[in-house]
Amino acid sequence: MQFPNSRLLWLNTYFPTDPGGANFDENELIGLLMEIEDIMDRCEFDDVLWNGDLNYDKSRNTAFVATISRFLDRLGLVSVWDRFAVDYTHIHTDFISTSTLDHFVVNERLLELILDCGPMHLGDNPSRHSPIILKLN
């Protein structure tokens, strides 16, 4: 997308599920991250807005989370939930436990232009994932 002062690369992804623990076959995840990096290398853009169900909950101590965290750090990208409070984006099948699996990931410059964002917990939503919204200046 092109705006008057910026070319925006907008990515929407769905990641594999975090299998938990310290060991897992990371081939699918690494392949997906390489695809994202390849897209970023081939495109001309000023800012990145990447959203989706990343199945990435930073509160978990797993190899899956560590792999994604290293990738984001290396590319200088951050989840907007680092700046804006979020209670949860997903409620589990027990309808009690919650996680933050859905994200907007942006570069630092775009983070400064976000006016508001968060999940919308709607009672009539048939998914256990809450829609997430973001408002840019």
Side-chain angles (χ1 to χ4, degrees):
M1 299 180 91
Q2 279 199 267
F3 296 100
N5 299 316
S6 177
R7 293 168 299 178
L8 179 67
L9 175 61
W10 187 357
L11 302 166
N12 184 12
T13 59
Y14 174 76
F15 273 34
T17 302
D18 182 350
N23 297 315
F24 76 106
D25 181 0
E26 63 183 12
N27 289 329
E28 183 179 14
L29 179 60
I30 295 294
L32 181 54
L33 295 174
M34 288 173 57
E35 285 266 340
I36 291 167
E37 188 168 11
D38 184 55
I39 290 168
M40 292 176 71
D41 287 342
R42 286 186 286 118
C43 294
E44 292 185 28
F45 60 91
D46 301 305
D47 297 301
V48 176
L49 174 59
W50 169 16
N51 62 280
D53 177 357
L54 305 188
N55 280 309
Y56 167 66
D57 188 325
K58 288 174 65 169
S59 69
R60 295 178 181 160
N61 185 21
T62 66
F64 182 93
V65 168
T67 300
I68 294 174
S69 293
R70 282 191 305 271
F71 179 79
L72 296 177
D73 287 345
R74 188 168 57 78
L75 295 181
L77 300 173
V78 295
S79 172
V80 299
W81 309 139
D82 292 345
R83 169 84 49 92
F84 293 87
V86 61
D87 49 0
Y88 66 91
T89 66
H90 178 262
I91 190 160
H92 297 276
T93 54
D94 64 8
F95 295 103
I96 297 169
S97 307
T98 60
S99 299
T100 302
L101 303 178
D102 308 278
H103 294 267
F104 289 108
V105 174
V106 299
N107 57 302
E108 290 283 344
R109 187 179 95 92
L110 194 61
L111 185 61
E112 301 302 320
L113 299 175
I114 298 172
L115 299 175
D116 192 23
C117 63
M120 296 174 56
H121 303 305
L122 306 170
D124 61 349
N125 179 10
S127 172
R128 292 188 324 272
H129 291 266
S130 295
I132 55 175
I133 60 168
L134 182 135
K135 184 176 181 181
L136 283 173
N137 183 4

